[in-house]
Amino acid sequence: MQPTITNITTITTIMKKLSSEDLSRFTRHFSLSEIGETGQEKLKNASVLVIGAGGLGSPLLVYLAAAGIGTIGIVDDDVVSTSNLQRQILYTTVEVGQKKVEIAAQKLKALYPEIDIQAYDTRLNDSNVESLFQQYDVIADCTDNYKTRQLIGSKSASLNKPLAFASVLNYEGQISVFNYQNGPVYADLFPTTPQDGIYSENDIGLLGVLPGITGTLQANEIIKIVTGYGEVISGRLLVFNIRDNRFNLFRF
């Protein structure tokens, strides 16, 4: 049974200071002038909602936790299957059949004990999307179907929540950021929603390392959004093919 809006836990925002453990853990970040202790405090006080804990979500979640993001929500109602293990690096063979959100939460907490993990064992839908999105600073789309992407895009735009978008297929990955500082929204790039069901999931070719590369780049964009370092890929779509190492950046 999917949780209703009334039984989704509300996150209370409390400003967090860097602990003595943080001062040791993040020394390499402190040495970067664009991040430093100020940027690290921003990361610790940031909240990110990740939709999908699969191929893209696995590396994204690991690097967000490793970077010191203070609060991470994970939305996924699936269990680990053997066919996931080729690309979903959060999970192992002994965890087949277990809930992805539960395994992910345990491992991220082990990586960074000070992190606050909210695990939502549910599918994102019209009845819970607004309640969930309102609680987080940044939304990350790690889904694999057009209908859910459209829902994420439209709701994040209406709530003015920065959206880190990523998708993968075969050897090609795509990355962009929507709703960032009044920049373009998802519908500007994808005005129509293709119909799902053209092929089954098992028919889709996907080299296992591709979502690893793509999810890591997606994590980098979220770190940029939170800390203000670098140039966020808003109004642009990065398309890359790992088969021949082609990277192209398109403006829209």
Side-chain angles (χ1 to χ4, degrees), residues 76-237:
D76 199 306
D77 70 340
D78 202 4
V79 298
V80 180
S81 67
T82 302
S83 63
N84 297 152
L85 302 179
Q86 164 250 19
R87 63 198 178 281
Q88 299 183 18
I89 58 171
L90 263 179
Y91 316 111
T92 64
T93 302
V94 297
E95 292 154 355
V96 169
Q98 298 183 46
K99 284 289 186 179
K100 289 181 180 179
V101 290
E102 295 175 1
I103 299 300
Q106 292 170 11
K107 292 186 177 180
L108 298 183
K109 194 75 174 176
L111 175 60
Y112 182 40
E114 296 188 34
I115 200 171
D116 177 17
I117 300 290
Q118 300 292 324
Y120 305 101
D121 180 15
T122 186
R123 289 197 179 199
L124 194 72
N125 55 54
D126 292 330
S127 65
N128 63 24
V129 61
E130 182 163 353
S131 177
L132 283 168
F133 281 22
Q134 285 177 336
Q135 300 181 62
Y136 292 87
D137 301 321
V138 182
I139 311 300
D141 182 354
C142 297
T143 62
D144 60 2
N145 70 85
Y146 298 121
K147 183 178 180 181
T148 306
R149 288 175 185 169
Q150 193 278 329
L151 176 62
I152 294 170
S154 61
K155 184 55 65 176
S156 63
S158 68
L159 295 174
N160 197 29
K161 301 282 186 176
L163 170 60
F165 165 83
S167 68
V168 289
L169 180 66
N170 300 148
Y171 305 100
E172 184 177 284
Q174 298 182 356
I175 297 282
S176 192
V177 171
F178 305 111
N179 322 320
Y180 179 72
Q181 296 184 347
N182 298 314
V185 301
Y186 177 88
D188 291 327
L189 184 61
F190 303 108
T192 60
T193 303
Q195 184 175 357
D196 286 321
I198 299 173
Y199 36 65
S200 69
E201 181 180 355
N202 290 332
D203 293 332
I204 301 173
L206 183 64
L207 190 64
V209 298
L210 177 62
I213 296 167
T214 312
T216 302
L217 290 171
Q218 190 179 16
N220 184 44
E221 292 304 311
I222 292 173
I223 294 170
K224 289 180 189 177
I225 292 168
V226 173
T227 64
Y229 111 83
E231 187 176 353
V232 174
I233 192 170
S234 173
R236 293 168 296 166
L237 178 70

Side-chain angles (χ1 to χ4, degrees), residues 21 25-26 58-68 72 90 104-115:
E21 173 67 21
R25 181 183 294 263
F26 300 113
S58 289
L60 173 65
L61 287 165
V62 169
Y63 274 107
L64 291 182
I72 297 178
L90 263 179
Q106 292 170 11
K107 292 186 177 180
L108 298 183
K109 194 75 174 176
L111 175 60
Y112 182 40
E114 296 188 34
I115 200 171

